[in-house]
Amino acid sequence: MICARCQHFEAAPGGTLCTQCAVAPEPEAPQFTAAPVAWVRSPVGLGRTAAAVLGLVVVIDLFAIGAAMAVYDVAGDLVGGVSGVGERAERADSLYSSVGLLRTSVLLTCVVVFLCWFHRERVNAEVFSPFGHAKKRGWAIGAWFVPIVNLWFPRRIALDIWDASSPWDAPRSHGLVDAWWTLWLLSVLTNRAGSFAYSSSDTAEEIRGAVRQVLVADVVDAVAAVLAILVVLRLTRMQHEKVLRGPATAAF
């Protein structure tokens, strides 16, 4: 009789195992780790919310431009030696500070909503194209917060999502994503430069020069937010239409 375990040696008399298997420990059952399951969930609600919050960012940017122009005018009067501008300067500075606080709260809300939408789009895209992604789905959030790599990882993930969400027979151009990403990077750089210049300025002339940089940063930020709205709406529509065409099982 052949050993019931190794199927190689003769079993010991009166038993089912050979002498070697009889003294060997029982083998452990193999452990299998299943990969996380991805399924399509509707991005429409999150997409509309993200677009709406980005619209608020544009509105706040416009208010910030108006407040910065008020500070710029007052600083110009101070440089020109115009008297009696102390009260105007206080009002302009108070308005600029208030807009800054409001902008911070709106931006924080925008970050949360946008990342929730972006992650859902990434998971959906994995269903459409399981092997078409250079980064794992966790990077859809983490890539934005890791220094240096946040300069290009989010764009790479966005392009993978874009390609996976495009119609099966007609891939869409990357032009809109590239334009948004370029303006977004430019807005980050100009905002940091303008904020640093404004916080380190002492004289009226320095303040006026710093506010000029801030104005440029606010304009670039507003344009970048508009492009972000277009990206959100386009990607959301692409995924929604792709699900309706099939073949994909959706939880709509």
Side-chain angles (χ1 to χ4, degrees), residues 211-223:
V211 172
R212 189 183 298 114
Q213 295 184 51
V214 171
L215 281 169
V216 173
D218 289 340
V219 171
V220 175
D221 191 73
V223 177

Side-chain angles (χ1 to χ4, degrees), residues 24-94:
E26 186 74 19
E28 296 184 0
Q31 301 294 322
F32 298 98
T33 303
V37 177
W39 64 90
V40 176
R41 298 177 62 192
S42 174
V44 175
L46 276 175
R48 290 173 178 172
T49 304
V53 178
L54 284 166
L56 285 178
V57 172
V58 176
V59 173
I60 293 300
D61 282 336
L62 296 178
F63 276 116
I65 290 172
M69 289 182 66
V71 175
Y72 185 79
D73 290 339
V74 171
D77 290 341
L78 290 174
V79 171
V82 178
S83 60
V85 297
E87 186 175 346
R88 284 177 53 212
E90 290 181 3
R91 287 200 305 268
D93 186 67
S94 177

Side-chain angles (χ1 to χ4, degrees), residues 40 123-133 160-172 237-250:
V40 176
V123 174
N124 288 348
E126 189 172 326
V127 178
F128 301 144
S129 178
F131 308 105
H133 302 275
D160 290 341
I161 296 172
W162 189 273
D163 291 338
S165 305
S166 294
W168 303 107
D169 56 346
R172 299 284 175 83
R237 184 170 66 251
M238 285 165 59
Q239 289 202 348
H240 183 65
E241 292 176 350
K242 193 160 190 173
V243 169
L244 294 180
R245 293 192 189 102
T249 302

Side-chain angles (χ1 to χ4, degrees), residues 15 22 33 57 69-70 74 92 111 121 133 136 138 145 152-153 166 172 187 190 212 217 229:
T33 303
V57 172
M69 289 182 66
V74 171
V111 167
E121 291 274 329
H133 302 275
K136 294 183 178 180
F145 300 100
W152 75 87
F153 270 31
S166 294
R172 299 284 175 83
S187 72
T190 54
R212 189 183 298 114
I229 293 173

Side-chain angles (χ1 to χ4, degrees), residues 2 6 46 78-79 82 99 112 124 130 146-147 151 154 176 185 190 192 200 212:
I2 300 298
C6 68
L46 276 175
L78 290 174
V79 171
V82 178
V99 171
V112 173
N124 288 348
V146 179
L151 297 177
L176 180 58
L185 285 181
T190 54
R192 290 181 180 178
S200 60
R212 189 183 298 114

